[in-house]
Amino acid sequence: MFFTSSKVSKVGVTVTIDNRMEVAVVDMDQKKVTHYEQVEVGYNFQTKELADYLQFASQLKSVLDEMKLNLKNVDISISIPSIHFSTAQVQSSFDDSEIRTVLATYAQESYLFKRHEPVIAYHLYPGSASESVPVVYSAIQETVVDNIKDALANVGIDKFSINNPYSSVLNALIYLGRLDKQINSGEIWNFVQITNNGFTLISMIGQTIREINDMPLPLKTFSAEEIYESLALSLQNNLSIYPASSLFVISRTDLLSAQQLLQRMELRGNVDYMENNTYSTEQFIDIGEAVDRDFAKLISVESVGSAISNETSPLNLCYVTTKDMEDESIGEINVFGQTISINDTTFNILFLILIIIIVLI
């Protein structure tokens, strides 16, 4: 009989609209990606959902098996393309159910949620003495959540969470210290994420989101020059609506370089950027020996942010979680050839029994 420590692996899974799934295992203490893989997974852009849920689940299970990860000791967080992302005000007296009802009503202004019931993820910014408080929220289809649950259960994965990609990216950059200057300035600053679908401008002060402007642009339908021209013009106009002391732009699309875009714009204040695409010249996070060096620059900020996101993150936008933190395994006991998983509760019971035995002896 012996006890072996079995650290929970933080696994970030991202699904993109260009039919790709990333799986990244992050060591939070060392700020390092210890395992990483990319596989093809279909995404239906028209219906805004995975093309084949069983394919997604089987591919994920296959990758986890290749990484030799024990499903009992993995903390899986899945980030899927955002459908609705915005801010609102809710009554400070509202409970969770009332907040979700109000936000679902707002989300149903989107055409997709006139046909599909939304699942709401929200993040409150408490501390206001007024009757209403600001909230950041996001929505996806209830059918998407149900289909993911069923598909993962089919391959033996029953503990996971589903998160918003924008919050995953923001949480990762804060975790890595890339936004320290902007956050610590105490002034209003703008954060811009560029994807194949356009850009999202987030006006912030510190770690608090003030406003969100989601600007869809079908970049894949433009020529290379048109992409820079249209995006520079649209972003310039939107930035004038949200005056700020600094700007941080991250390009998450291979269609354009953040640096080249900013060079075409007239900007004031402190400007910083990050290339999380093929224009990147360096990796943004350390990697372990198990990660192929050719993948180092391909790792997305979103996959890292998905892995580390939890209820204590600066922006927690979790649509659903089937994980019970109290039941997470912290180790295993081998008793006469049988492996028994140990969680916090059972460990405390065993420790108490051990103390009683010592006292009696």
Side-chain angles (χ1 to χ4, degrees), residues 144-358:
V144 169
V145 172
D146 291 341
N147 288 335
I148 290 177
K149 280 183 180 179
D150 292 342
L152 291 179
N154 192 56
V155 297
I157 299 175
D158 57 5
K159 291 186 179 182
F160 61 90
S161 62
I162 303 175
N163 302 291
N164 174 279
Y166 294 115
S167 62
S168 295
V169 171
L170 189 58
N171 288 334
L173 293 177
I174 293 173
Y175 162 71
L176 295 169
R178 290 298 300 266
L179 301 176
D180 286 352
K181 278 186 183 177
Q182 292 81 3
I183 289 172
N184 296 331
S185 70
E187 299 178 325
I188 295 173
W189 61 285
N190 287 326
F191 178 57
V192 175
Q193 297 189 41
I194 304 172
T195 66
N196 289 342
N197 284 337
F199 68 87
T200 300
L201 191 160
I202 305 175
S203 174
M204 305 187 67
I205 182 164
Q207 295 184 12
T208 300
I209 292 178
R210 301 170 65 248
E211 293 184 75
I212 297 171
N213 188 352
D214 203 12
M215 184 59 62
L217 287 171
L219 298 186
K220 283 191 171 182
T221 65
F222 299 161
S223 67
E225 184 60 28
E226 287 173 338
I227 288 175
Y228 284 101
E229 287 182 357
S230 59
L231 198 54
L233 178 61
S234 181
L235 183 54
Q236 187 89 57
N237 289 337
N238 278 272
L239 287 172
S240 66
I241 302 173
Y242 303 95
S245 62
S246 61
L247 169 68
F248 189 98
V249 176
I250 178 172
S251 174
R252 296 167 50 209
T253 172
D254 294 335
L255 297 175
L256 90 161
S257 157
Q259 181 184 33
Q260 294 179 35
L261 173 68
L262 293 171
Q263 289 172 347
R264 295 168 178 250
M265 300 172 62
E266 296 181 6
L267 299 167
R268 295 179 179 178
N270 298 316
V271 178
D272 197 1
Y273 68 91
M274 179 177 179
E275 307 282 14
N276 195 205
N277 49 28
T278 54
Y279 294 94
S280 174
T281 58
E282 59 183 4
Q283 63 192 60
F284 67 89
I285 190 170
D286 290 339
I287 58 174
E289 294 180 0
V291 180
D292 189 327
R293 296 289 158 180
D294 293 335
F295 277 145
K297 295 178 185 177
L298 300 178
I299 298 172
S300 75
V301 173
E302 182 184 345
S303 66
V304 172
S306 181
I308 66 168
S309 292
N310 56 45
E311 65 278 1
T312 62
S313 297
L315 180 59
N316 178 31
L317 287 178
C318 178
Y319 298 113
V320 66
T321 180
T322 62
K323 297 180 293 188
D324 183 350
M325 299 304 292
E326 292 183 355
D327 289 337
E328 281 192 355
S329 174
I330 61 172
E332 296 172 343
I333 284 183
N334 188 294
V335 182
F336 305 117
Q338 297 295 315
T339 300
I340 302 173
S341 183
I342 301 298
N343 57 35
D344 284 333
T345 303
T346 52
F347 180 81
N348 289 335
I349 293 173
L350 287 171
F351 183 75
L352 180 60
I353 293 173
L354 180 60
I355 292 296
I356 293 172
I357 292 173
I358 291 173

Side-chain angles (χ1 to χ4, degrees), residues 87-90 123-128 130 132-136 208-210:
T87 58
Q89 294 279 332
V90 296
H123 185 93
L124 278 176
Y125 290 112
S128 174
S130 62
S132 62
V133 292
V135 59
V136 176
T208 300
I209 292 178
R210 301 170 65 248

